[in-house]
């Protein structure tokens, strides 16, 4: 282990603050790349915003949409939060609303922060980013650099003009950052980057689903826990393990609810008047995380690692289901 490991352990232990809902003012709206909108948000009063650590994201609620965006600024600067929004041409309208309607001085509602992509202590780091997936990597690279860790970033995009913060990264970190515009150099060289499994390296990757799947395949022989991914669109899942009804019991009251095949646990809980926070309803944001006290879970989210799934102590009730007749939830 290098001398930097304790520092990174301390960085990783900086917990994201308890989740809050805030109305924030757009201090700055900029365009760091083609099709990318950067928003710098601050409290109307000028007070400090909740603490966060690299890997954290927030929900932005605007125009009837709720979308998740990584915090990509400096965690030590609590006066503002910075996010970057890719215009999703084939999306459902959330990113287009922010691009077309939100301007400097406007107010937007946010929820969070929350973190399911935390930077763990490691002797070395390999960061892999595709397109807007570079946003959570920015504070991670800064933390690794500050701690004196050995690290590198391979950053790919469709064209150089679409790669937000590419110049900033190269100027700041030099050869530690390699840029791979696809129209110039082809796809990211994953075989070169990941072909040899290493026991001393944590791999962090964020980007489009095709890249994430390719990285997962290349890391199949790497040690368990070496690969860390963040998804903002749901991973494809197979059929549920249990095809029929199942029951969920609420530990605090003993109330038992039946969940039919065509409904989510979340919708059944909400109908019964059980207060539970939710946001994406597709297993990517982590808002509806719920403790599991008994029973086997059919995990259908895009967040938990294999080890976390095996622990069977939490689930995301918007998408995950039971793999047994009854679950007892910590509600």
């Amino acid at each position: 282990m290098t001398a930097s490991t304790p520092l990174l352990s301390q960085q990783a232990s900086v917990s994201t603050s308890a989740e809050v809902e805030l109305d924030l003012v757009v201090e700055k709206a900029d365009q760091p790349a083609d099709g990318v909108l950067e928003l710098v948000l601050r409290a109307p009063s000028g007070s400090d915003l909740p603490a966060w650590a690299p890997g954290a994201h927030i929900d932005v609620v605007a125009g009837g949409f709720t979308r998740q965006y990584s915090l990509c600024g400096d965690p030590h600067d609590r006066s503002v939060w910075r996010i970057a929004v890719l215009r999703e041409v084939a999306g459902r309208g959330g990113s287009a609303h922010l691009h077309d309607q939100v301007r400097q001085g406007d107010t937007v509602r946010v929820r969070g922060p929350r973190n399911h992509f935390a930077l763990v202590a490691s002797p070395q780091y390999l960061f892999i980013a595709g397109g807007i997936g570079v946003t959570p990597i920015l504070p991670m690279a800064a933390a690794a650099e500050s701690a004196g860790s050995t690290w590198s970033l391979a950053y790919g995009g469709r064209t150089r003009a679409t790669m937000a913060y590419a110049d900033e990264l190269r100027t700041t970190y030099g050869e530690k950052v390699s840029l791979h515009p696809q129209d110039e150099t082809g796809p990211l060289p994953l075989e070169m980057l990941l072909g040899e499994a290493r026991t001393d390296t944590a791999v962090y990757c964020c980007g489009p689903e095709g890249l994430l799947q390719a990285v997962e395949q290349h890391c199949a022989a790497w040690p368990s826990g070496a690969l860390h991914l963040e998804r903002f669109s749901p991973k494809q899942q197979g059929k549920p393990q249990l095809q029929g009804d199942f029951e969920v019991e609420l530990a605090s009251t003993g109330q038992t609810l039946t969940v039919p095949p065509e409904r989510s646990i979340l919708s059944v809980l909400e109908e019964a008047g059980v207060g539970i926070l939710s946001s994406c309803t597709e297993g990517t944001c982590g808002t509806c995380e719920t403790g599991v006290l008994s029973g086997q879970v059919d995990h259908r989210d895009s967040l938990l690692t294999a080890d976390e799934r095996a622990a069977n102590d939490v689930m995301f009730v918007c998408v995950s289901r039971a793999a047994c007749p009854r679950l007892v939830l910590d509600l």
Side-chain angles (χ1 to χ4, degrees), residues 236-313:
Q236 291 297 312
Q237 306 286 346
K239 291 183 179 180
Q241 295 181 34
L242 192 67
Q243 300 299 313
D245 295 353
F246 61 89
E247 295 180 336
V248 292
E249 178 184 333
L250 312 185
S252 63
T253 64
Q255 181 182 9
T256 299
L257 304 171
T258 299
V259 182
E262 71 276 8
R263 296 188 61 189
S264 67
I265 298 175
L266 174 64
S267 70
V268 171
L269 291 171
E270 290 176 331
E271 184 178 70
V274 180
I276 184 166
L277 290 174
S278 65
S279 179
C280 72
T281 69
E282 56 185 18
T284 58
C285 75
T287 307
C288 67
E289 181 175 343
T290 302
V292 178
L293 302 179
S294 178
Q296 288 298 122
V297 179
D298 177 8
H299 293 287
R300 306 180 65 77
D301 63 90
S302 302
L303 289 162
L304 296 178
T305 66
D307 289 344
E308 289 168 337
R309 291 184 175 208
N312 204 67
D313 55 2

Side-chain angles (χ1 to χ4, degrees), residues 92-297:
R92 291 174 287 178
S95 65
H97 174 85
L98 293 175
H99 274 257
D100 297 337
Q101 303 298 327
V102 175
R103 297 291 182 266
Q104 184 174 337
D106 288 349
T107 298
V108 295
R109 175 155 292 190
V110 303
R111 288 197 296 258
R114 69 183 70 92
N115 197 339
H116 293 279
F117 194 45
L119 187 65
V120 301
S122 177
Q124 298 189 59
Y125 297 94
L126 171 58
F127 300 118
I128 301 174
I132 201 63
V134 75
T135 51
I137 303 300
L138 294 174
M140 290 184 176
E145 182 73 8
S146 178
S149 297
T150 299
W151 66 274
S152 62
L153 164 62
Y155 177 17
R158 290 185 294 106
T159 67
R160 194 174 294 268
T162 64
M163 297 171 63
Y165 310 113
D167 291 341
E168 173 186 322
L169 284 163
R170 284 286 291 182
T171 299
T172 304
Y173 302 118
E175 295 302 315
K176 292 181 180 181
V177 176
S178 60
L179 302 179
H180 302 270
Q182 191 163 355
D183 64 336
E184 298 177 21
T185 64
L188 280 161
L190 297 183
E191 181 60 36
M192 182 188 73
L193 294 168
L194 301 168
E196 181 180 348
R198 286 171 263 167
T199 60
D200 61 349
T201 301
V203 180
Y204 279 80
C205 180
C206 187
E209 183 61 25
L211 172 63
L212 299 181
Q213 290 182 11
V215 169
E216 284 182 311
Q217 292 169 5
H218 280 85
C219 285
W222 283 59
S224 175
L227 176 60
H228 306 261
L229 301 174
E230 177 149 72
R231 284 181 162 91
F232 284 106
S233 59
K235 185 178 182 180
Q236 291 297 312
Q237 306 286 346
K239 291 183 179 180
Q241 295 181 34
L242 192 67
Q243 300 299 313
D245 295 353
F246 61 89
E247 295 180 336
V248 292
E249 178 184 333
L250 312 185
S252 63
T253 64
Q255 181 182 9
T256 299
L257 304 171
T258 299
V259 182
E262 71 276 8
R263 296 188 61 189
S264 67
I265 298 175
L266 174 64
S267 70
V268 171
L269 291 171
E270 290 176 331
E271 184 178 70
V274 180
I276 184 166
L277 290 174
S278 65
S279 179
C280 72
T281 69
E282 56 185 18
T284 58
C285 75
T287 307
C288 67
E289 181 175 343
T290 302
V292 178
L293 302 179
S294 178
Q296 288 298 122
V297 179

